[in-house]
């Protein structure tokens, strides 16, 4: 079941509210009770149309078996923007690009959560509004330029607007992650956090050879075990170690919730062309489910490290 956090509209800050859903429909708290069909992959990848009267919730919580010890998170799940921000001055084509969200990451996170019966927390706002995978003091928290695209709606924001976005979107998402970790701890397990992302096949005209990358900071236990397991797959996968990015980013989601607290973790990056449709998502969900079940059975990998 999903629990969908409700963000206050515009600058009106309120406590997150929640609505429950079954497997086929969700209800957004704070709306007129309108029911939406559960999103399929094509819907997840669609641009949210400016002018919608519905507020965008800052996060979605998918319920699961906390006694498994696993929490899935997805920092860049959607490209949605609140009505009051329009399109941040961008044409729809820019909001369909990787600069707005991680293509395929939400669908893969949901598929893994279903296969593993694991709880999950997913953001619902575009990284262009504010990037939850950055520290609050990071200069790239709210991007003014991203992969050649100028973001007009971010060009002249002041500290008041910056604080508003942090309070309305960034912190509710991180609070949901913290609650998920606390719930697993309360269930008697050492929490393990897996963050699901995707990356572009090419960067500045250079092809990226990796099918998947595993990222970490100081604790490499889970990441290296997954690297070995994925390289042993018969598909002949090219597996990156801290590629195409480094996992040592101070203040990011993994650093904030895992590294500082001694929790086992990894950040999984899948190349976007491999999970851009339902078949690709299903294939990678099956593959990751198999290797995760094997790797997470090792208590030496999942136990908390004293700090």
């Amino acid at each position: 079941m999903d629990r969908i956090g409700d963000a206050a509209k515009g600058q009106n800050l309120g406590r997150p509210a929640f609505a429950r859903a079954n497997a086929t429909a969700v209800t957004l708290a704070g709306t007129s009770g309108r029911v939406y069909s559960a999103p399929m992959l094509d819907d997840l990848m669609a641009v949210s149309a400016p002018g919608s009267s519905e507020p965008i919730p800052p996060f979605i919580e998918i319920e699961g078996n906390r006694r498994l010890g696993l929490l899935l998170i997805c920092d860049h799940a959607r490209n949605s923007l609140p009505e009051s921000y329009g399109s941040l001055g961008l044409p729809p084509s820019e909001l369909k690009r990787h600069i707005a969200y991680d293509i395929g990451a939400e669908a893969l996170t949901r598929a893994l959560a279903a296969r593993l019966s694991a709880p999950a927390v997913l953001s619902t706002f575009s990284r262009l509004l504010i990037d939850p995978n950055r520290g609050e003091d990071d200069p790239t928290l709210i991007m003014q330029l991203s992969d050649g695209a100028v973001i007009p709606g971010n060009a002249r924001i002041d500290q008041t607007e910056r604080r508003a976005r942090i309070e309305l979107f960034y912190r509710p998402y991180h609070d949901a992650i913290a609650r998920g970790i606390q719930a697993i701890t309360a269930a008697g397990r050492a929490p393990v956090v897996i963050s699901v992302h995707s990356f572009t096949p090419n960067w500045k005209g250079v092809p990226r050879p990796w099918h998947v990358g595993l990222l970490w900071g100081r604790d490499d236990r889970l990441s290296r075990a997954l690297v070995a397991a994925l390289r042993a797959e018969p598909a002949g996968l090219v597996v990156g170690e801290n590629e195409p990015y480094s996992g040592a980013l101070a203040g990011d989601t993994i650093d904030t919730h895992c590294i500082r607290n001694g929790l086992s973790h990894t950040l999984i990056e899948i190349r976007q062309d491999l999970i851009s449709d339902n078949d690709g998502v299903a294939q990678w969900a099956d593959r990751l489910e198999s290797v995760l079940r094997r790797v997470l059975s090792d208590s030496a990998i999942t136990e908390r490290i004293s700090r």
Side-chain angles (χ1 to χ4, degrees), residues 1-4 21-28 35-48 57 60-62 77-80 101 104-111 114 122-124 278 281:
M1 298 174 68
D2 290 0
R3 297 196 303 169
I4 304 180
N22 58 32
T24 58
V26 298
T27 304
L28 296 185
V35 177
Y36 299 82
S37 298
M40 299 298 290
L41 178 61
D42 290 345
D43 298 322
L44 298 178
M45 296 175 64
V47 176
S48 200
I60 292 172
E61 291 177 292
I62 298 175
R78 295 188 180 182
N79 57 1
S80 301
Y101 72 127
E106 177 175 2
L108 180 58
T109 304
R110 286 181 173 273
L122 304 89
S123 73
T124 59
N278 289 313
V281 168

Side-chain angles (χ1 to χ4, degrees), residues 10-283:
Q11 302 299 320
N12 298 320
L13 180 61
R15 292 188 177 184
F18 301 95
R20 294 188 175 272
N22 58 32
T24 58
V26 298
T27 304
L28 296 185
T31 71
S32 59
R34 180 179 175 187
V35 177
Y36 299 82
S37 298
M40 299 298 290
L41 178 61
D42 290 345
D43 298 322
L44 298 178
M45 296 175 64
V47 176
S48 200
S52 170
S53 61
E54 302 291 358
I56 294 177
F59 61 88
I60 292 172
E61 291 177 292
I62 298 175
E63 296 183 358
N65 184 357
R66 299 184 183 100
R67 292 193 61 81
L68 296 174
L70 176 62
L71 178 67
L72 300 169
I73 63 173
C74 189
D75 295 325
H76 303 141
R78 295 188 180 182
N79 57 1
S80 301
L81 292 166
E83 177 192 7
S84 57
Y85 290 94
S87 65
L88 291 175
L90 293 168
S93 58
E94 294 291 355
L95 294 179
K96 294 179 182 178
R97 295 177 59 210
H98 71 97
I99 64 172
Y101 72 127
D102 280 358
I103 295 166
E106 177 175 2
L108 180 58
T109 304
R110 286 181 173 273
L112 283 173
R115 284 164 170 75
L116 296 167
S117 299
V121 179
L122 304 89
S123 73
T124 59
F125 51 90
S126 172
R127 66 196 301 175
L128 294 177
L129 182 70
I130 187 168
D131 192 335
N133 195 36
R134 297 292 186 273
E136 290 189 12
D137 59 351
D138 193 303
T140 65
L141 180 68
I142 299 175
M143 295 289 284
Q144 297 177 323
L145 176 68
S146 183
D147 193 16
V150 176
I151 320 301
N154 293 343
R156 296 181 180 86
I157 67 167
D158 56 19
Q159 286 302 310
T160 299
E161 172 61 19
R162 183 184 179 91
R163 287 194 299 270
R165 295 192 196 184
I166 290 173
E167 293 293 335
L168 285 167
F169 302 98
Y170 181 99
R171 285 183 183 160
Y173 171 67
H174 281 276
D175 289 346
I177 294 174
R179 283 196 304 274
I181 290 171
Q182 290 165 2
I184 291 171
T185 302
R189 296 299 303 270
V192 176
V193 178
I194 294 179
S195 183
V196 180
H197 290 250
S198 67
F199 65 95
T200 58
N202 296 275
W203 181 248
K204 298 187 183 301
V206 179
R208 286 166 153 173
W210 312 282
H211 298 102
V212 57
L214 283 302
L215 281 57
W216 66 88
R218 295 190 295 271
D219 182 359
D220 64 356
R221 292 174 297 161
L222 178 55
S223 297
R224 289 201 181 278
L226 288 173
V227 166
L230 288 166
R231 284 178 175 167
E233 288 283 293
L237 300 173
V238 180
V239 183
E241 301 180 37
N242 269 326
E243 296 286 359
Y245 312 105
S246 169
L249 179 61
D252 71 357
T253 309
I254 289 295
D255 180 50
T256 298
H257 296 282
C258 301
I259 295 176
R260 297 177 190 180
N261 298 307
L263 301 184
S264 181
H265 62 272
T266 193
L267 189 153
I268 299 179
E269 289 268 7
I270 310 290
R271 208 173 67 202
Q272 288 171 358
D273 59 311
L274 303 177
I275 54 172
S276 62
D277 58 31
N278 289 313
D279 289 343
V281 168
Q283 182 181 68

